[in-house]
Amino acid sequence: MRKTNWLLLGLALVLSMFLVACSGGGDNNADGGNSEGNTEEKNESEGNEGSEGAEGEPSGEQVLNITDSAEIPTMDPSMATDAVAFQWLGSTMDGLYRLGENAKLEPAIAKSHEQSEDALTWTFKLREDATWENGDPVTAHDFVYAWQRAVNPDTGSEYGPYMMNGVIKNAEAISKGEMPVDKLGVTAEDDYTLKVELEKPIPYFLSLTAFGTFLPLNQDFVEKQGDKFALEADTILANGPFKMTEWKHEEGWTLEKNKDYWDAENVNLEKINVKVVKETSTRVNLYDSGEIDAAALSGEFVQQKAGSEELKTEEEPVLFYLKMNQQHEVLGNVNARKAIQSVINREDLVNVILANGSLPAVGDIPQNFAKHPESGKDFREINGPLVEHNVEKAQEHWKKALEELGKDKVELELLGGDSEVAKEMDAYLKNQLEQLEGLTVNVKPVPFKERLRLDTEMEYELQNSGWGPDYIDPNTFLNMWVTDGGNNKTGYSNEEYDALIEKANNELALEPVKRFETFLEAEKMLIKEDAVLAPLYQRAVAKLWKPYVKGVITNPMGPDYTYKYAYIDKE
Amino acid sequence: MARYITKRLIYMLLTLIIIATFSFFLMKMLPGTPLTMEDKLSEAQKEIILEKYGLNDPVPIQYLKYMGGLAVGDLGISFQFDNREVTDIIMDRIGPSMQLGAQALIIGTIIGMLLGLVAAIYHNGFLDYSSTFVAVIGKSIPSFIFAGLLQYFIALKLGWFPVALWGTWQHTVLPTVALAMFPIAIAARFMRTEMLEVLGSDFIQTARAKGVNKFGVVFKHGVRNALIPLVTVMGPLAVALMTGTLVIEKIFAVPGIGEQFVTSITTNDFPIIMGTTLFFSFFFIFIILVIDLLYGLIDPRIRLAEGEK
């Protein structure tokens, strides 16, 4: 009896082990991981075995091995909201235009376009040789369907209404369910002519057509897939340089060259293997072992790799600043805000705290983002620094503010983030701000969602906040500070400022130079005169790239990278 | 026995309903919405979308709707991963976590038990101190440090195993070793303490006096009696290991579920939070049941079912 019991126990253990192993193995052990797959291919082509880091060995093998920081949340262009989704949509799909070198717009599915006199109607001529992965031609109807779907309230898209309301005719009413979807200002005049009617002239409209939300969709395919659309590699339809051939959720995905792509002759890479790796140290180890060709770094790893020729910093047009709630009696005082602007040492902030190549921010428009339409000079260069680090001057402003307010001691609360970097940053800001005599700063770290709630309800005093552009135009940064703007939330209201923005977007919509100059003026008013924000830094990413990876283009908006022209040169 | 198990299953169901209720209302107290563009959308736009997903209903209505879905086995769809079913997501991710957890548990327990056994037999000797040392190290070094060291030296410098990622059995070796440190430490400590106690008790003396050899005494009489407390702690440990660990999964880039749970909370992905909570709870309750059944096997004195009298 005893013996049988022991046998039973043993059997149960063995069985449970077996069961567990099965459920674990299921779909993951089916085929080899990244490294194995690659070695195999190498053997086929050049016999170049082993580590990829082997130098001086010429190889024509066009395979790029990279990582991304998270699983793709969705491959549905209407539903995409984050960098990962837009990156892979951008690699597998073509819109009317796409971003090329230096953020220049290149015709993609569109061959050319025409604007009407009043700039309200845009007519796009589409190329006739573009096809979907399944052989269907890409037509004007695909754009009509996709754009209607994006604003349709039944879709539940976040970016659709955000990007199209106030831009495409009737989008606002449709997104509220007050008008049928087919009233949207986009029509197919014939299979290869797309007519777009705008609500008002939009000088940056062309850059929108390169954005993920404006990508076309094959109606038959989308409707046939129903709820399953864009959830797996085989429920996606590509029309771009690459197509997704495998997608293992949370583990990684594989893109292969789309042989039927209209511009296939300019696509060099045969394959892109992407693995999800969230930890920086892991990425660095994989990079050092030669398994991956690129690795994004953070803080300490940047210092560790400093001096390496493979280290590149890529500046992004994402701006961070201290938001100051003007409903607070002290922060409502312009001198107090000016004191805060100039007491912070931004050089030390980017070099010591961030140490990843980020730049000090000295205005509300990032560097290398908007160019003067005639001279081509950078917005930032023309307006120059609008804030400076000057403790003496800061003290003067502060003294004046305290006099005006009749106070000698002030306590302010700084809403901080709860991430590792945020904690260091907030401690630094507290230290900098408390140089102002009589000021005490209390840091209150909150999770991101809570910070947003406090921002919306304006229940904060100071907060470290940031903004990334939605299109390439100064308007995306400056428009939000108008009176009662949806994202203003500082209580800032200046009729003159409102008028400038209004003028730039209406009267001057068709006069690019004057419009640009108006934005220059608006920025000065916002930062220098009214001191609405205390700019902190412009974000940059430090990344290791193997020297044989060439032709990868970094974009200021939409997909972070363009791999269309990338190639491997192991000469 | 069958009646006992049925009774336990009914209790399990009740426990799950209570857990679901608590977590639902706790979750609704989280600030924010599941919208990813919360910082950019206007209030009106947010309202329209929340309306579509039924998030504007009063919380009790939302609760009833959710429980209604649960009753027919519908865990809902994720917000974070549009349209993907929660069940699919959990099933996709649980595999690797379970595999690593089970491997670590089995290897860790066996090694830990051996260490504890050796320590008890050679009480206060060199082997005792060394195995205690291993146990202390295993318990006190944070797993991320140990995992990082393994990755750097064993994988990167020596090249014996892959640095990270998932796919072949080789990929599971380092994360398993890193995870196994904890069960090794626990099993060794418990085994040592229990064995010392058991070996000092009267019936062991009797067995010895009767002339049973040392091997027989230790394995036949000692280990079996020392197992009971060990099984008790191993249950929760098994759940903890097999439901995924944030740190190890991140460091070795394992597509497991440990990390998903944390992300879903920070992104307010309500259906995923509920789905994973319920799944983990179910798993935990189930393991407790299995352990209760195991007691009966290990120690015949423990009779679970009163009906068998």
Side-chain angles (χ1 to χ4, degrees), chain A residues 2 5-6 8-9 17 20-21 23-25 27-36 71-74 79-81 153-159 161-162 165 175-176 226-232 247 249-251 275-279 281-282 285-286 288-289 291 448-450 452-453 456 466-470 487 489, chain B residues 31-46 48-49 52-53 80-85 88 91-96 98-99 102-103 106 148 151-152 156 162-171 220-221 224 227 242 247 250-256 259-260 263 266-268 294 296-298 300:
Chain A
R2 243 188 214 170
N5 276 348
W6 273 103
L8 269 175
L9 175 63
M17 203 180 346
V20 167
S23 67
D27 37 20
N28 292 308
N29 289 346
D31 59 346
N34 192 14
S35 50
E36 279 213 342
E71 156 82 343
I72 305 176
T74 178
M79 301 304 283
T81 51
D154 293 337
T155 311
S157 164
E158 292 180 46
Y159 246 121
Y162 180 74
N165 286 7
S175 72
K176 284 182 180 154
D227 284 348
K228 298 275 166 268
F229 172 63
L231 294 189
E232 309 291 339
W247 183 5
H249 296 302
E250 199 75 10
E251 191 184 333
K275 297 283 166 184
V276 177
V277 178
K278 297 176 181 176
E279 188 72 32
S281 63
T282 309
N285 287 341
L286 283 168
D288 286 343
S289 77
E291 274 193 71
F448 181 62
K449 292 268 180 188
E450 176 67 1
L452 290 185
R453 189 185 69 79
T456 309
W467 190 260
D470 296 308
N487 290 297
K489 305 293 177 197
Chain B
T33 66
L35 302 182
T36 30
M37 284 172 60
E38 223 179 331
D39 53 340
K40 292 197 166 181
L41 291 179
S42 67
E43 285 302 307
Q45 226 17 271
K46 271 188 224 170
I48 292 172
I49 300 174
K52 175 181 148 53
Y53 292 110
Q80 199 186 341
F81 305 103
D82 292 290
N83 258 335
R84 199 160 292 151
E85 299 219 7
D88 288 351
M91 286 308 146
D92 268 358
R93 310 260 159 97
I94 195 72
M98 286 255 188
Q99 189 187 343
Q103 285 176 195
I106 292 165
Q151 187 174 67
Y152 188 75
L156 189 61
V163 172
L165 304 176
W166 192 246
T168 60
W169 69 267
Q170 283 97 330
H171 287 103
K220 250 184 160 170
H221 303 285
R224 185 162 178 177
L227 268 184
M242 288 161 79
V247 173
K250 254 180 125 172
I251 291 184
F252 290 103
V254 175
E259 203 253 343
Q260 184 54 51
T263 324
T266 52
T267 55
N268 283 20
L294 274 182
L297 285 180
I298 296 168

Side-chain angles (χ1 to χ4, degrees), chain B residues 140-158:
Chain B
S140 51
I141 293 189
S143 58
F144 69 91
I145 292 187
F146 190 62
L149 291 174
L150 282 178
Q151 187 174 67
Y152 188 75
F153 289 106
I154 309 285
L156 189 61
K157 292 289 154 198
L158 297 172

Side-chain angles (χ1 to χ4, degrees), chain B residues 49-72:
Chain B
I49 300 174
L50 293 181
E51 190 69 43
K52 175 181 148 53
Y53 292 110
L55 290 169
N56 269 350
D57 298 343
V59 175
I61 302 278
Q62 290 185 42
Y63 169 72
L64 290 179
K65 277 190 188 161
Y66 184 81
M67 294 308 273
L70 212 54
V72 293

